[in-house]
Amino acid sequence: MLAAVNATEGTDRPLRADAVRSRALLLSAARAVFAERGTEASVADVAQAAGLGKGTVFRHFASKDDLVAAIVDEMLDDLIVTTEKLLTANDPAAALREFMTAGIDLQVHNQAFCDVAAGASVRRHPLVRGKIERLESAVEALVDRARRAGVVRDDVTGQDLMLLMTGVYQTAAPMLPESPDLWRRYLALTLDGLQPQAARPLPTPAPRP
Amino acid sequence: MLAAVNATEGTDRPLRADAVRSRALLLSAARAVFAERGTEASVADVAQAAGLGKGTVFRHFASKDDLVAAIVDEMLDDLIVTTEKLLTANDPAAALREFMTAGIDLQVHNQAFCDVAAGASVRRHPLVRGKIERLESAVEALVDRARRAGVVRDDVTGQDLMLLMTGVYQTAAPMLPESPDLWRRYLALTLDGLQPQAARPLPTPAPRP
DNA sequence: ACCTGAACACCGTTCAAGT
DNA sequence: ACCTGAACACCGTTCAAGT
């Protein structure tokens, strides 16, 4: 019930060699299993893929959510790096489009990431929330640049772009088994709505950052 | 394992009076419970809310999915009626916007409906699939009218509008607890992208109907 | 310190026993 | 015919017993 016996409980004294190995095996197994079958794959499945007992999972991660959060955290790091690189790209409009493409691609190829992008409980996990905010501020900078270049309407925010990124994926999701590229259609449609020329006043303000 | 003992198994001889009552109690309880807490509420909870044993649920519905499908089916019927009424509205652009609003409103106020609109397994249920197709053809007619009036770009289909309806909801979903009206922002943004003036060529064709 | 599997409270589903 | 709750195979999580 309480804070649980995480390997790094409070103070982080060094792990024993076998524990280091177990942790790495678990993370690697979780990456593969959750990517393919989503977060509803069982903890027992992850433990088996790692060649360990399922009790060991809970020695290293206080809950299944904590394990999922660790995986998703890595993926968010990758996306943050990609986004920050795009901040120095030549074409600000293309940079914005490439951020959206990278984020949606991640969801298409990783079932775990799109579970989280949609409402899964891991979204509220402190580790994940923090990373989402870091990503959001990088995207905010990306939008600012595009706005100054006059290639995006001036009433949209970085958070809008973040939400639209997952929204575009979700729009196409029901058809993706039959039409794996359909998300590109709804991305294009969304980008058309983001043009300054298309702008009509929005009825609801962006939520406070 | 097999087709299961649904109350209307194959031939539908009339139900006994107590069975009619039980079925009605179950449907009514399921409506309330699933609307509030989504489809992850347990069958035991529905049974308890109906004042019946949980075994009774499976006498009337072969699986939990069948029960959810019965509820969602009713909601789709309502949305179909609303949509068909809109076919005779004066303003074709407003009619399209009102369809989207009605569909999103349903998701905002009914957790079960938005579980299904997102990828839940019930989406593939034959009962639900059939109703979605009926709704889709009504929406197709709505789009045709708007297209002929020149108020919507000519490369979008009824299915596009259906997918966008659930997509707009999903876009706002993570923020809805804090900003319950935020979906109106993304609906407006999406409608801006649907204007003929905003249209740039789309990279991926609509899936075959 | 770390790993493990049996044990617990849940879930959807089945079915023998009651009316 | 219909209802019921115990029983089953799962799930996430805990923890005593092993190394």
Side-chain angles (χ1 to χ4, degrees):
Chain A
M1 184 58 73
L2 266 187
V5 193
N6 195 312
T8 64
E9 47 165 85
T11 74
D12 41 0
R13 90 196 88 81
L15 294 176
R16 225 170 61 178
D18 56 348
V20 172
R21 184 173 167 278
S22 290
R23 197 171 210 285
L25 285 171
L26 285 173
L27 283 170
S28 168
R31 257 189 294 269
V33 170
F34 288 144
E36 194 166 354
R37 296 169 34 209
T39 54
E40 93 262 343
S42 76
V43 168
D45 287 339
V46 172
Q48 192 181 16
L52 296 168
K54 68 176 173 172
T56 308
V57 175
F58 292 97
R59 173 153 191 89
H60 287 269
F61 303 93
S63 67
K64 184 184 180 182
D65 267 16
D66 272 12
L67 174 57
V68 173
I71 299 302
V72 170
D73 183 61
E74 298 174 343
M75 298 192 295
L76 283 169
D77 277 331
D78 290 349
L79 189 55
I80 288 170
V81 169
T82 301
T83 307
E84 285 172 350
K85 267 185 199 152
L86 287 170
L87 281 171
T88 62
N90 301 6
D91 181 344
L96 213 55
R97 187 175 54 242
E98 278 173 42
F99 156 72
M100 297 285 275
T101 301
I104 297 167
D105 229 52
L106 214 51
Q107 295 177 76
V108 169
H109 293 105
N110 197 305
Q111 194 57 42
F113 189 72
C114 80
D115 284 359
V116 174
S121 58
V122 196
R123 221 175 196 283
R124 269 161 272 141
H125 192 286
L127 195 65
V128 172
R129 268 192 68 87
K131 279 289 160 61
I132 287 180
E133 278 163 29
R134 276 201 49 199
L135 176 56
E136 203 165 287
S137 62
V139 175
E140 194 69 62
L142 210 56
V143 176
D144 282 345
R145 247 187 106 221
R147 193 169 23 226
R148 278 195 296 272
V151 295
V152 71
R153 53 195 292 169
D154 59 6
D155 52 1
V156 299
T157 69
Q159 191 188 31
D160 285 333
L161 268 287
M162 292 275 292
L163 292 172
L164 287 167
M165 178 205 80
T166 80
V168 167
Y169 172 79
Q170 293 293 329
T171 302
M175 303 299 295
L176 286 185
E178 302 111 280
S179 313
D181 277 336
L182 188 61
W183 61 270
R184 297 185 187 276
R185 179 173 176 87
Y186 300 115
L187 175 55
L189 222 40
T190 298
L191 292 173
D192 283 355
L194 293 177
Q195 297 176 102
Q197 301 82 23
R200 293 178 292 191
L202 295 173
T204 314
R208 57 180 71 264
Chain B
M1 182 59 72
L2 267 187
V5 193
N6 195 311
T8 65
E9 46 167 81
T11 74
D12 42 359
R13 89 194 90 79
L15 295 175
R16 225 169 62 179
D18 56 348
V20 172
R21 184 174 167 278
S22 291
R23 196 170 211 284
L25 284 171
L26 286 172
L27 283 170
S28 168
R31 256 189 295 269
V33 170
F34 288 144
E36 195 167 354
R37 295 167 37 207
T39 55
E40 94 262 341
S42 76
V43 168
D45 287 338
V46 172
Q48 192 181 17
L52 297 168
K54 69 176 171 170
T56 309
V57 175
F58 292 97
R59 173 153 193 90
H60 287 269
F61 303 93
S63 67
K64 184 185 180 181
D65 266 17
D66 272 13
L67 174 57
V68 174
I71 300 302
V72 169
D73 183 62
E74 297 173 344
M75 298 192 296
L76 284 169
D77 276 332
D78 289 350
L79 189 54
I80 289 171
V81 169
T82 301
T83 307
E84 285 173 347
K85 268 184 199 152
L86 287 170
L87 281 171
T88 61
N90 301 6
D91 181 344
L96 212 55
R97 186 174 57 241
E98 277 172 43
F99 155 72
M100 298 284 275
T101 301
I104 297 167
D105 229 54
L106 215 49
Q107 295 177 76
V108 169
H109 292 104
N110 197 306
Q111 194 58 41
F113 189 72
C114 80
D115 284 359
V116 174
S121 58
V122 196
R123 220 176 197 284
R124 270 161 271 140
H125 191 287
L127 194 66
V128 172
R129 268 192 67 87
K131 278 290 160 59
I132 288 180
E133 278 163 28
R134 276 201 49 198
L135 176 57
E136 203 166 287
S137 61
V139 175
E140 194 68 64
L142 210 55
V143 175
D144 282 345
R145 248 187 106 219
R147 195 169 20 227
R148 277 195 297 272
V151 295
V152 72
R153 54 196 290 168
D154 60 7
D155 52 2
V156 302
T157 68
Q159 193 189 29
D160 285 333
L161 267 289
M162 291 275 293
L163 292 171
L164 287 168
M165 176 203 81
T166 81
V168 166
Y169 172 81
Q170 294 293 329
T171 301
M175 303 299 294
L176 286 185
E178 301 111 281
S179 312
D181 277 337
L182 189 61
W183 60 270
R184 296 185 188 277
R185 180 173 176 87
Y186 300 114
L187 175 55
L189 222 41
T190 297
L191 292 173
D192 283 356
L194 293 177
Q195 297 175 103
Q197 302 82 25
R200 293 179 291 191
L202 295 173
T204 313
R208 57 181 70 262

